[in-house]
Amino acid sequence: MSDLKQVWAIENLHLAWQRIRSNPDRAYKGYFRDAYTAYAIAGDAQLNHLQDRLRRGIYGPTDACKIYFPKPSGILRPYSLLCVEDQIVYQAIANVIAEKLAPHVKSKYEKEVFGHLYAGLKSPWFYKKWSEGYRAFNSASESTFNAGYVWTASFDLTAFYDSIDHHVLRQMLSRIGVTNDLIDFLTQCLTKWTATATQIYHNHGIPQGPLSSGLIAEVVLKHFDENHHINYKVTYLRYVDDIRLFAKQEKHLRYALVKLDRLSKDVGLFPQSSKIDIHQVVNIQDELKSISNPYEALFLMPSINQSALRKAISEITPGKRGYTVLNPTRFKFLVASATASNQLMDRLWRVFEHAPHYYPQIASHLSKFKVLSNKQADRLLLEIEAQELYPAVRAALINSAIGRIPSSHLARFKTIFKKLWQPKFHQPDLSNALWSWLQDQSGFTLAQQKYGLTKVQPDWLAASMHYRTRWLDIDEVSRTSLINTSLRSKSADVALAAAWIAAFLEISVKGSSIGLNPQAVILLKELGVVKRAGSFVCGIRKSIFEMTSADIPIDWRSIFGSNYKKAEAQIVSSKGYFQTSATAWVNSMDGFNDWLLDSLYRADPFLGSYKMGEVGSVMNSKKMRIKYPALYRYLNEIHDRRYLSHLSHAVVRANQKPTRAIKFEWLKTGSRLLRNATAELHRSGY
């Protein structure tokens, strides 16, 4: 069995779905809790449907929703929100690759490698506990120091996830025995999932956020694990892309760092030179970054002494030092353990003034208040208005304000938030936060509700907005219309949200079932809203839509009959060429046209007879030109281009000149001709 077939094996898809739901990263899962619930209601049927599309080659990844978080340095860290089905496919790929990678790396687990440790095929969790791995990482560092290795240096890679070159990844995957079909499929998906919000597509990077990316990163990092050795004794410890070196002499460290630098250049990565600090260790505890909860004596009491806790926070954020956080890990832990306190909130605002990257802790503490004091509400609104540079910070602060604003301040908050509501220009998480707060306060007119729910948005944002809408505040006619529009969305996540809402609010499905999102139909059937789940996805219709942006409802199965699967396979392969090679696309579409002509001539006796393989015989057909002029022009243009293509002949027969590649820009013309021909067939009753 090829590796790609293993990806779409139903057992693997079920395992992938299980591992996504057991993902310990609560932050990432928090963006999808409602979407996961909607998908899980008919999970078995949805996975069977996904498998069918993967097997037929008509599954296509969608663009990720990108949000950006501020780093302590002030620059941004990208975060990729994949639609639910893309997460499942990505995890299914990672499951197969993990089994290929494991024999090459397991011997180094908790000896040299401590992060993203694969838990094994039988485990419902993808990785072993990260906290245990990091604890082992620190323990190994301490043991090495106690053995006399008192010189140390860290080696970090700059923007590691974003910088992984897909050509390098292909080589690394091939070395561990992954077959080319899976490698091709993965890199095609990564091109979609790493694109920017402006849909600029790269050939590098893996998405930050999804569970699967850690394992894919390990495939590249294996290059460092296998080749870091030098002639001197240097201890090498790695947790993800954070490599820590220990040696007995400074000179030995320098040799090791140069070796790592060369290895990074091998794979097109770049070290963070500013973080490479060669020094002699005085106190090993000062070197270690404890991710497990730090020991605090005050927590040994039966109940936490909040006064002592606030005092401890004050000690590590001294006013004399400008409220600088002296121990970030301890600070985060203590704040997370604190109960709502105006006194503590005042200090946290002072910390926030110079270190906005602590916004998750500030927002989290604000969320502990039932109702904010007037003073805290004033400060919160001031900070929200001021946060123009970092939309993620503004989003977190707005979310913390939902249901906690004193009544005396509601009108002012609503006025400011309505001015900020500009989804066309804002980062998706900010738009989602504003939508949620204003929905809670019934802050939208019906026209604004319709605009927000029907405007083209990133899939994640559109789906999330559906779950957060106060549907009962919308009149029944408008509510039914909006939900029925969303049931026909091309986005599965949006359509599933609409189906879930339709079922629980007893909103009837109006009009023809043609055009309903197939995955929404599966959910509607499970919930008893519709009796039959006619959820077949036509690969021909889908492929034409992806190549022309025109969704034309032709019953292609009826046209092709017993030859449908062959015609579908032909055009699905053509769709792939549409993104990469105009020449190959023309040749492949000429093959699809052969199947089309065979079926069309049998369906329409007016045209006469046709013999498979003789597309050229139609080029001068008067009957075709009279009855199907748009189709006639499309067929002629494609066949003429094929005649001039170097993939068909060495020379042009008419003038004996060498054939050549078709220019990529001609695909715009080809797409338009295909769209017009398909629309003509639809008008003719097909």
Side-chain angles (χ1 to χ4, degrees), residues 510-544:
K510 300 293 186 182
S512 171
S513 61
I514 296 175
L516 288 174
N517 185 292
Q519 289 159 271
V521 174
I522 291 172
L523 179 54
L524 290 169
K525 180 178 182 296
E526 185 73 20
L527 294 170
V529 178
V530 298
K531 293 183 179 180
R532 298 178 63 186
S535 56
F536 176 79
V537 175
C538 176
I540 298 176
R541 178 174 169 179
K542 188 172 186 292
S543 297
I544 291 174

Side-chain angles (χ1 to χ4, degrees), residues 52 123 158 169 312 317 500 565:
D52 178 63
S123 174
T158 300
L169 180 60
T317 58
W500 188 88
K565 288 186 178 180

Side-chain angles (χ1 to χ4, degrees), residues 191-463:
T191 299
K192 273 281 192 181
W193 296 335
T194 56
T196 64
T198 53
Q199 293 187 317
I200 296 176
Y201 296 96
H202 306 154
N203 287 313
H204 61 82
I206 58 177
Q208 293 194 51
L211 177 71
S212 321
S213 287
L215 191 282
I216 303 302
E218 290 294 310
V219 173
V220 176
L221 289 166
K222 183 175 73 71
H223 182 67
F224 293 86
D225 303 338
E226 293 178 339
N227 300 291
H228 65 80
H229 304 284
I230 58 173
N231 292 330
Y232 301 103
K233 280 193 173 183
V234 175
T235 297
Y236 167 100
L237 308 173
R238 180 176 66 77
Y239 188 89
V240 191
D241 61 332
D242 179 6
I243 300 172
R244 184 173 295 166
L245 302 173
F246 287 92
K248 293 184 177 181
Q249 295 183 38
E250 179 184 359
K251 180 178 71 172
H252 298 171
L253 274 184
R254 294 191 180 278
Y255 276 97
L257 287 169
V258 168
K259 183 62 178 288
L260 291 179
D261 187 29
R262 289 181 178 275
L263 292 175
S264 65
K265 289 175 171 54
D266 282 347
V267 291
L269 298 171
F270 304 93
Q272 295 192 52
S273 56
S274 62
K275 288 191 176 182
I276 299 176
D277 176 24
I278 301 175
H279 62 279
Q280 190 169 6
V281 179
V282 177
N283 183 346
I284 187 61
Q285 297 304 321
D286 292 338
E287 302 289 329
L288 304 181
K289 303 173 184 176
S290 178
I291 285 192
S292 57
N293 291 346
Y295 174 82
E296 292 288 348
L298 60 94
F299 292 109
L300 296 179
M301 303 175 188
S303 61
I304 297 173
N305 184 323
Q306 290 292 320
S307 177
L309 184 148
R310 289 192 293 271
K311 182 179 179 181
I313 293 175
S314 297
E315 289 173 352
I316 59 172
T317 58
K320 293 180 180 180
R321 298 280 296 272
Y323 298 92
T324 300
V325 177
L326 302 181
N327 187 324
T329 302
R330 187 179 175 205
F331 170 76
K332 293 174 184 178
F333 176 65
L334 292 175
V335 173
S337 304
T339 57
S341 163
N342 283 310
Q343 177 188 355
L344 176 56
M345 198 65 240
D346 289 341
R347 177 169 287 272
L348 293 178
W349 285 126
R350 299 300 296 271
V351 171
F352 180 73
E353 288 171 6
H354 303 289
H357 60 279
Y358 287 116
Y359 73 92
Q361 287 69 47
I362 278 70
S364 176
H365 196 72
L366 284 166
S367 299
K368 294 177 181 179
F369 290 87
K370 289 185 177 180
V371 179
L372 296 176
S373 68
N374 289 342
K375 177 184 176 182
Q376 298 300 344
D378 287 337
R379 181 61 184 268
L380 175 59
L381 186 57
L382 177 68
E383 295 297 343
I384 289 172
E385 288 188 274
Q387 279 299 329
E388 295 181 354
L389 187 59
Y390 300 121
V393 176
R394 190 177 256 174
L397 294 178
I398 292 170
N399 280 325
S400 73
I402 297 175
R404 297 180 180 87
I405 304 305
S407 57
S408 59
H409 286 59
L410 283 174
R412 191 148 55 98
F413 269 74
K414 186 182 291 188
T415 299
I416 298 300
F417 288 1
K418 286 292 288 285
K419 289 180 180 178
L420 290 176
W421 170 249
Q422 300 179 47
K424 185 176 180 180
F425 305 104
H426 283 160
Q427 188 167 287
D429 55 340
L430 174 55
S431 294
N432 188 57
L434 286 165
W435 180 266
S436 300
W437 194 95
L438 289 166
Q439 285 288 333
D440 188 62
Q441 294 300 317
S442 301
F444 288 112
T445 64
L446 178 59
Q448 289 169 330
Q449 298 265 42
K450 290 181 177 179
Y451 172 82
L453 292 166
T454 59
K455 176 181 169 57
V456 176
Q457 302 280 7
D459 290 354
W460 171 80
L461 174 58

